[in-house]
Each structure stands twice: as C-alpha cells, then as structure tokens.
Amino acid sequence: MATFLFLVNPELAYDPYPDWERWEPLIAEGKFPSSTWNTGMRRQGIVPGDRGLIVKVGRESRGLVGACIITSEIYLGPHWNPEARSVETGYVDIEMREVIDLEDPVTLDELRTVAPHVLWTPRQSGTRVPEIEAETVWSILFDETGDSE
C-alpha cells in the first residue's frame, strides 16, 4: 500500500469541490463519504487500497487537512481548472477517512518535524510519500480513533 499527497487550495475552484462541512459529521458517524481527487500529472502507480494525505496549500494556514483511501485506478477526465494547459487530468475515486479544520491544520512545521524528508507542498497532487514517513503521519492521524483502513 502506497501513500500519496493530494493538494487543496481554497482559493481555487475545484470540480467537485472538497466538502469538509458535509464530510466531517459523516466521518464522525463512522461513514466514509466518497469523492474524486485529481492526481496531477500522475497517470499510473495509484491503485485501490492506497492512501491519500490531503495538504492545504496557498494561503495560511497550510498543512495536513485530511486523509482518504483510494478506491479506483487512475482515470482521465476533464481538467478541474479551465485555465490549465491540459484539457484533461488524472483522477481517482476516494473515501474520506479524516478531515481537519481548514483553518487549523496539522502545520507544515509539525509535518516536517515527524517527516523532514517529505516535500509537503509540491506543485501538484500525486506525489508519493516514502513508506516510513507515510506510516508515521497516518498513525498520528488515527492513533486516537483506531481507524487505519
């Protein structure tokens, strides 16, 4: 099982847009809301059962704001950003497992403390996180709830 970084920038207009307000109470009830996420330029190497760590980029406060399980292979679809150079991009289907307040994320400084060799703010989604660092961050997220898959 691999772990990938997925990015969210609240200043951009995604389609579909991540719906933290709807997802948070569902997750609290033990439900795992489904959505899609773009994979940037990545077109292979993500499979069902892999994990995603969602990092807020752009304006402050930046950092880890969510976690998901990937439920599909990568497939191509229309690019979420109409101003992008490419007309299509890669997507995966996901089940959200955790959401963190967009204004109070696990900070980049905190992430760099536990996983200093990870570039937490790459230019696009789809960056693979080394296994040891991914396990460390995943265990921090789910240590209290016991949910890991």
Side-chain angles (χ1 to χ4, degrees):
M1 157 183 21
T3 303
F4 296 87
L5 291 181
F6 294 142
L7 306 180
V8 62
N9 183 337
E11 296 176 7
L12 299 178
Y14 298 95
D15 183 20
Y17 195 81
D19 195 347
W20 263 241
E21 288 182 21
R22 185 178 64 82
W23 293 344
E24 188 172 23
L26 292 173
I27 293 169
E29 294 173 9
K31 299 175 184 172
F32 304 124
S34 298
S35 190
T36 61
W37 213 278
N38 83 80
T39 62
M41 294 299 293
R42 183 176 286 277
R43 299 291 186 265
Q44 59 187 0
I46 298 178
V47 297
D50 285 345
R51 301 182 295 197
L53 295 171
I54 301 170
V55 176
K56 178 184 165 194
V57 296
R59 65 178 169 80
E60 294 295 334
S61 302
R62 299 180 302 157
L64 184 67
V65 294
C68 63
I69 299 293
I70 296 154
T71 60
S72 74
E73 302 275 339
I74 296 174
Y75 55 91
L76 296 179
H79 203 293
W80 59 268
N81 182 351
E83 297 177 13
R85 291 182 193 174
S86 174
V87 296
E88 63 184 10
T89 191
Y91 290 93
V92 287
D93 296 331
I94 63 168
E95 286 183 350
M96 291 301 298
R97 296 300 170 108
E98 184 65 57
V99 293
I100 300 167
D101 185 344
L102 289 171
E103 299 307 317
D104 191 24
V106 175
T107 68
L108 294 177
D109 286 341
E110 292 171 290
L111 292 170
R112 289 178 185 128
T113 297
V114 298
H117 302 295
V118 174
L119 175 60
W120 289 103
T121 56
R123 293 186 51 84
Q124 58 188 328
S125 292
T127 300
R128 187 171 178 166
V129 180
E131 186 174 339
I132 292 171
E133 287 87 346
E135 287 301 322
T136 299
V137 173
W138 196 266
S139 68
I140 290 168
L141 278 175
F142 296 105
D143 194 31
E144 292 182 16
T145 63
D147 182 17
S148 63
E149 298 294 325

